[in-house]
Amino acid sequence: MVKEKILVIGASGQIGVELTLALRKIYGSSNVIASDLREENDLLKGSGPYVSLDVMNKEMLHVQVIRQNVTQIYLLAAILSATGEKNPNLAWHLNMQSLLNVLDIAREEKLHKVYWPSSIAVFGPTSPKHNCPQQTIIEPTTVYGISKYAGEFWCNYFSYRYGVDVRSLRYPGLISYKSAPGGGTTDYAIEIFQEAIDEKKYDCFLREDTYLPMMYMPDAIRATIELMEADKDKITVRTSYNLSGMSFSPMDIAAEIKKHIPEFSISYQTDYRQAIADSWPQSIDDSVARRDWGWKEEYNLERMTRDMMQNLNK
Ligand code: NAD
Ligand code: SER
């Protein structure tokens, strides 16, 4: 087996913490270097190497890649949809330049693989609302969605032009309890659990009937690793794969939480994030990922809610 040395950029974030821990289990603690602009997340401490790194500083990134003999990069640093709308220039700059820095270095240093996540946010109001296909009309209306769609084409370009083995998933909204979410429109589906346990009520910033594609973090981590470990000749999509787990509205998740906390109540006060959610599809067709590398989710709303409640109550 080829010896891999993996650099995770943005390792202290919502996905980064769990992905780093999962990669360390597979590749060995010392072979997975966590890095972030902010301090090391408590859950990572003592589990393997950590370096403080700004992905925008290309020279320093390049030095780290050479010095640590890095063979794969997982790039997770980004500004998400809701925060992006507050500072569009910053979101565009970080989301694009970080990717270009990583792709350039991957090409120069002949890295084995790169992982970079896209999002359901690439889709816009003109995309199909139900079972949105892999290839369809894509006209995003958020700066986050624009940056993800442009990023997908940079991945495709580096793959075909320079042979960089870069792989990507269009994650739905991700739900988890280990590390805090980073400013997305789907974050309500995480906040609702903590508020239900602490306050027995939640004031939701999306309308009750806002259906969105969602996924539980264990499924997202498994999908990422399965995609990265799939044989190269199975990967037919070099932009980014549609990926689906479940689809629900605030009303649905509130009803599921009520099964565990009968006195829980939800109220609704929408803000600017409603328009972002309304621009996205309600469900995703991920049949290409299922065909190419055998994707299948394990968690539905009921199973995820049970697991979230159990873990948060601990
Ligand atoms: P997050 O905001 O929780 O984590 C991002 C991390 O990147 C943070 O720890 C942050 O400190 C770090 N970072 C920011 N700027 C940096 C810089 N200049 N240099 C180094 N690190 C920097 O985000 P997340 O939810 O973990 O998302 C990770 C990736 O997955 C992003 O590309 C995001 O767009 C994508 N994604 C996430 C979701 C979701 O629901 N969480 C859904 C779709 C796609
Ligand atoms: N969960 C993300 C967001 O809401 C989707 O990419 O921004």
Side-chain angles (χ1 to χ4, degrees), residues 71-75 98-100 102-104 106-107 111-118 151-169 224 227-228 230 232 235-241:
T71 61
Q72 296 188 21
I73 294 180
Y74 285 65
L75 170 59
S98 59
L99 177 60
L100 290 172
V102 166
L103 290 174
D104 266 344
R107 173 171 66 99
L111 297 192
H112 300 162
K113 282 176 205 169
V114 173
Y115 178 74
W116 172 84
S118 183
E152 288 187 6
F153 283 98
W154 276 115
C155 291
N156 196 51
Y157 182 82
F158 269 74
S159 166
Y160 286 106
R161 170 111 201 243
Y162 303 120
V164 175
D165 188 354
V166 49
R167 305 181 183 195
S168 177
L169 295 171
T224 307
L227 170 72
M228 290 299 276
K232 203 172 174 179
I235 308 296
T236 63
V237 175
R238 287 294 178 173
T239 49
S240 187
Y241 278 100

Side-chain angles (χ1 to χ4, degrees), residues 51-178:
V51 292
S52 180
L53 185 78
D54 181 355
V55 67
M56 301 298 273
N57 187 335
K58 191 175 175 187
E59 277 93 290
M60 283 311 294
L61 174 61
H62 205 155
V63 166
Q64 283 293 346
V65 167
I66 294 170
R67 191 185 286 162
Q68 310 259 14
N69 296 314
V70 167
T71 61
Q72 296 188 21
I73 294 180
Y74 285 65
L75 170 59
L76 303 172
I79 290 179
L80 279 80
S81 62
T83 311
E85 290 311 291
K86 292 185 182 154
N87 197 337
N89 284 334
L90 184 66
W92 174 257
H93 188 51
L94 174 66
N95 294 1
M96 292 310 345
Q97 200 54 52
S98 59
L99 177 60
L100 290 172
N101 287 352
V102 166
L103 290 174
D104 266 344
I105 292 169
R107 173 171 66 99
E108 270 182 59
E109 299 306 325
K110 299 191 171 34
L111 297 192
H112 300 162
K113 282 176 205 169
V114 173
Y115 178 74
W116 172 84
S118 183
S119 161
I120 52 153
V122 294
F123 299 114
T126 49
S127 305
K129 280 275 167 223
H130 302 283
N131 292 325
C132 189
Q134 178 71 44
Q135 282 172 320
T136 185
I137 299 170
I138 300 191
E139 295 176 331
T141 49
T142 61
V143 68
Y144 176 67
I146 300 169
S147 72
K148 288 295 183 189
Y149 201 39
E152 288 187 6
F153 283 98
W154 276 115
C155 291
N156 196 51
Y157 182 82
F158 269 74
S159 166
Y160 286 106
R161 170 111 201 243
Y162 303 120
V164 175
D165 188 354
V166 49
R167 305 181 183 195
S168 177
L169 295 171
R170 289 174 180 156
Y171 289 135
L174 300 182
I175 296 152
S176 66
Y177 59 88
K178 289 191 181 160

